Amino acid sequence: MKDTCENVHEMLSLYIDDMLTEAETKQVEKHLQTCQACRAEYVFLKSIVSTAQSMPKLTVDTAFHEKIMENVAQAAKESQKPKPARKNVWKLASGFAAAAAVVALSVISLNSLPGHPELTPKGQTEPIQSEAPQEATASETKDSSDTPKKGGKPAGTVQTPAAPTGSEPVLADEQVSPYVRAIPETQTDYPVVSYCFTEEGYQAAISILSGFDKDGEVYLVPDEQKDEIRAKLEAVSGYLEHEEMQLEDTGFLKIVLSKE
Amino acid sequence: MSESEYIALCQKGDMDAFNQLVLMYENKILNYCYRILGDRTDAEDATQEVFVKLYRFIGSFTGQSAFSTWLYKIASNVCLDLLRKNKRHKTETVSLHQQNTEGEEFMMYVEDGSPTPYEVAQKNEAQRALLDALEKLGEDQKKVIILRDIEGLSYEEIADITGTAPGTVKSRINRARKALKKLLEKDRELFLLS
Ligand SMILES: [Zn+2]
């Protein structure tokens, strides 16, 4: 009887939705007639489902609908305006990258100063530092050759938490992922999405994007992979927000990373 | 006219066709956002944004997935963004990334004393308990319960919207309901009375 009860439990949800075969339906009904325990489970589950079904629903009224259409009309108008600043999106994106680099550098220099241990975020640095060499953030360390390399003072290595903890491998910058595709030289006007992360999230983001063609902090991701990559970036626990800057489908998406 | 014909017209910039698409989906999207966000004003803001995004993105819709899948994905992203922003601004709300029993990561929002946004919608204790339990499910499970039991969509529609195989939808709904039942065990009487 125990076996049957478990089988029936597995089928109750589909039974409620009338999604079982005829034979299965009969089997469940026959069992429910004789087994009080399963009947109680069925009544409970059915009641949960009914409660969900009777949940109050919101309805859109005319004013709300009109507001949607107004907002859309506004967006349409904006997209028709002449866009001189958008002529070269790469430049725009590079601006972001530069801003991000400034942030990165200022973090480095602040933390490189001796005698400022209070600037060290507590908790996440020690374990990372001991096992994480610097190559993961080569682009940052390049510009700060005076930064102590491995085994530096704890306060001096905060800017390179480097390899994300756990199992994700970090590709070095030179390593080319199989995804990378030749970039058509004529096409420079790609859509841009700018992502903002916390310090740790930023490192994880770099490792997600490693292998893609990059210029500074701007990565070029083929359309076939952009959804997957964007989903990954947005799943990073240090992900804060993103901004989309242009939306046409052009074969590639530029992704700009920055820190909070 | 069919949905795909409307979409094709929208892609050419036809505002009347866009108006039709909005009419088809605005209630669904508003309620979907409402269940995810738990607050009417937030849900309304999110819905507005979803349709502006839809307008801006529709040119890039290729038809590779069902239109509803794509639109709900936009809605889902807008809502998650809003949750993250709210999370950052509301100091009384602590968000924790946790693992549920199935090892899926889910976000738990712990509110401190302040009235929950659901209170407006609560008709009775059972509904309140159900909404609380729903908040504790993983995102995928929460989504199928919202779509199936609250919004009343068919298994096929859910498969379309979530971009999963029908078989997966079956097992996901089954598991989600079992998880819900387990969470509601302590409130069992509420449901047997209602
Ligand atoms: Zn039984």
Side-chain angles (χ1 to χ4, degrees), chain A residues 1 5 31 35 37-38:
Chain A
M1 205 59 182
C5 287
H31 183 82
C35 177
C38 285

Tab-separated table of all heavy atoms in Angstrom, chain A residues 1 5 31 35 37-38, ligand 1:
chain	number	residue	atom	x	y	z
A	1	MET	N	0.833	-1.208	0.000
A	1	MET	CA	0.000	0.000	0.000
A	1	MET	C	0.864	1.252	0.000
A	1	MET	O	0.579	2.235	-0.646
A	1	MET	CB	-0.909	-0.019	1.241
A	1	MET	CG	-2.186	0.782	1.083
A	1	MET	SD	-3.222	0.218	-0.308
A	1	MET	CE	-4.549	1.387	-0.209
A	5	CYS	N	0.611	4.626	-2.354
A	5	CYS	CA	0.400	5.971	-1.803
A	5	CYS	C	1.412	6.953	-2.387
A	5	CYS	O	1.052	8.050	-2.785
A	5	CYS	CB	0.515	5.958	-0.281
A	5	CYS	SG	-0.899	5.179	0.527
A	31	HIS	N	-7.811	4.649	-5.749
A	31	HIS	CA	-7.036	4.699	-4.515
A	31	HIS	C	-7.637	5.690	-3.515
A	31	HIS	O	-7.718	5.420	-2.327
A	31	HIS	CB	-5.585	5.064	-4.819
A	31	HIS	CG	-4.704	5.061	-3.600
A	31	HIS	ND1	-4.159	3.901	-3.094
A	31	HIS	CD2	-4.311	6.059	-2.771
A	31	HIS	CE1	-3.460	4.195	-2.015
A	31	HIS	NE2	-3.529	5.509	-1.792
A	35	CYS	N	-8.217	5.083	0.430
A	35	CYS	CA	-7.133	5.518	1.329
A	35	CYS	C	-7.416	6.906	1.895
A	35	CYS	O	-7.381	7.902	1.168
A	35	CYS	CB	-5.806	5.510	0.590
A	35	CYS	SG	-4.448	6.105	1.609
A	37	ALA	N	-5.650	8.662	4.069
A	37	ALA	CA	-4.470	9.536	4.146
A	37	ALA	C	-4.272	10.285	2.830
A	37	ALA	O	-4.043	11.502	2.806
A	37	ALA	CB	-3.234	8.714	4.493
A	38	CYS	N	-4.362	9.573	1.729
A	38	CYS	CA	-4.181	10.207	0.430
A	38	CYS	C	-5.324	11.161	0.124
A	38	CYS	O	-5.122	12.205	-0.500
A	38	CYS	CB	-4.077	9.160	-0.676
A	38	CYS	SG	-2.479	8.334	-0.680
C	1	ZN	ZN	-2.807	6.240	-0.031
